[in-house]
Amino acid sequence: MVPMKSGRFNWLDNESIAAWTFLAPALLFLGTFLIGPIAYLFYLSFTSGSFTQSGVRLIGFNNYSRLVTNPDFWQVVQNTIYFTTATVIPSLIIPLGLAVLLNRSFAWRPALRTAYFIPSITSLVAVGLGWRWLFQTEGPVNDMLRAIGINPIPWLSSTVWAMPVIILLSIWKQLGFNMVVFLAGLQAIPVNRYEAAELDGANAWQQFWHITLPGLRPTLVFATITTAIFTLRSFEQVYVITGGGPLNSTNLLVYYIYEQAFSQFDFGYAAAAATFLMAIALILVYVQLRVWGEDS
């Protein structure tokens, strides 16, 4: 506790000086690489101009007005909602099931844990190139479909199938990390709870529902938030595999911001879109903490 004199904090006390000395590097880092860029982003969203012009000028809320009246932007928002919803839920359910299975002792457990975790440490660009090769029109996936009598599917040139390919890649990429997180959470649950439940005649499903899930509540909060953030900031998948196409059907918010900033050089408009994305992320995290984290 910081010592007090005359009802006020003593900022010149030796302990206070030592505390601020240790805090200074972290505060400097946060101010330089987090708070500063966010403040500049917010300022930039009220300006017009680019690196190709002599300067920028304040234009008020014009960039935000362009956002809300731009149909392309709302299509990108719809794409992002669809992509996030379809990615986050399987990215939690599948790793949780794998973690429950791999938490048991059997011969191939270490090898399977390693195999499932490898995708999470693999370069997303390299994986994206491989995924594009797999799902091209004359690729291995269509070769397997032909072998079983199914007509080839134009995966990456179809407005229907291109997004599921991106979603499948994202689920696969996130699977290993979440599995390890859930494994750590499972190992923190006391074994005697399961032993007592078995003595009371509880079956495997009842143990999972009444012991495993409540015990994993803090882990679920962490996994849900990190998975949602990973999904919202998705860029490499779209950039490498589809480039936002076909017909803008796989264009996500981060890729849209990138295009506006570095293809159109409209940095003010891109900053407004980035501010919108940041607001969505903050609201999503807040809602998740309220829903999941009240008792965790």
Side-chain angles (χ1 to χ4, degrees):
M1 181 180 294
V2 179
M4 299 179 64
K5 291 184 178 180
S6 302
R8 296 182 179 180
F9 287 104
N10 184 4
W11 301 104
L12 299 179
D13 182 85
N14 290 335
E15 292 182 4
S16 300
I17 293 174
W20 284 109
T21 301
F22 285 111
L23 285 172
L27 293 175
L28 180 63
F29 180 86
L30 287 174
T32 303
F33 297 104
L34 181 64
I35 300 173
I38 290 175
Y40 182 69
L41 172 72
F42 191 64
Y43 158 76
L44 200 62
S45 68
F46 294 99
T47 65
S48 174
S50 70
F51 292 148
T52 61
Q53 298 177 352
S54 58
V56 298
R57 57 188 178 86
L58 291 173
I59 59 172
F61 289 91
N62 288 6
N63 288 322
Y64 293 97
S65 299
R66 288 175 57 196
L67 275 183
V68 299
T69 57
N70 188 345
D72 289 338
F73 173 74
W74 289 114
Q75 182 183 355
V76 170
V77 172
Q78 291 177 0
N79 293 342
T80 304
I81 293 172
Y82 166 41
F83 172 76
T84 303
T85 305
T87 301
V88 169
I89 296 175
S91 295
L92 295 172
I93 295 175
I94 298 173
L96 177 58
L98 289 173
V100 171
L101 293 175
L102 295 178
N103 196 41
R104 303 176 181 181
S105 297
F106 56 92
W108 291 95
R109 185 176 70 170
L112 288 174
R113 285 182 175 182
T114 303
Y116 284 121
F117 184 70
I118 284 175
S120 64
I121 59 174
T122 307
S123 168
L124 193 50
V125 173
V127 169
L129 291 172
W131 217 262
R132 188 174 67 181
W133 170 72
L134 286 172
F135 285 92
Q136 61 185 342
T137 305
E138 302 299 326
V141 173
N142 277 335
D143 289 341
M144 289 188 290
L145 293 178
R146 290 190 189 96
I148 59 177
I150 300 176
N151 292 328
I153 297 173
W155 298 100
L156 303 182
S157 59
S158 168
T159 56
V160 175
W161 292 106
M163 182 65 85
V165 171
I166 303 294
I167 291 170
L168 186 61
L169 168 59
S170 301
I171 294 171
W172 177 78
K173 188 72 171 64
Q174 189 73 2
L175 186 148
F177 176 81
N178 282 346
M179 184 196 68
V180 170
V181 170
F182 285 130
L183 277 171
L186 287 171
Q187 292 171 8
I189 300 174
V191 179
N192 56 14
R193 295 184 184 178
Y194 294 99
E195 294 173 348
E198 288 181 1
L199 291 175
D200 291 337
N203 57 35
W205 172 251
Q206 289 171 330
Q207 292 179 33
F208 174 79
W209 188 257
H210 296 287
I211 298 175
T212 303
L213 277 183
L216 284 177
R217 189 179 182 91
T219 308
L220 281 168
V221 174
F222 174 79
T224 303
I225 291 174
T226 55
T227 304
I229 292 174
F230 169 81
T231 305
L232 279 175
R233 68 175 182 82
S234 294
F235 169 79
E236 295 93 333
Q237 304 97 305
V238 178
Y239 181 80
V240 173
I241 298 177
T242 63
L247 300 178
N248 217 33
S249 62
T250 60
N251 199 352
L252 303 179
L253 266 173
V254 174
Y255 187 77
Y256 181 77
I257 294 166
Y258 161 80
E259 280 190 319
Q260 297 302 316
F262 299 106
S263 295
Q264 305 298 325
F265 296 102
D266 194 349
F267 292 103
Y269 181 74
T275 304
F276 180 86
L277 176 60
M278 182 175 64
I280 290 178
L282 291 175
I283 293 171
L284 186 61
V285 170
Y286 174 77
V287 170
Q288 288 173 346
L289 287 175
R290 294 286 296 179
V291 173
W292 288 94
E294 289 181 350
D295 301 324
S296 62

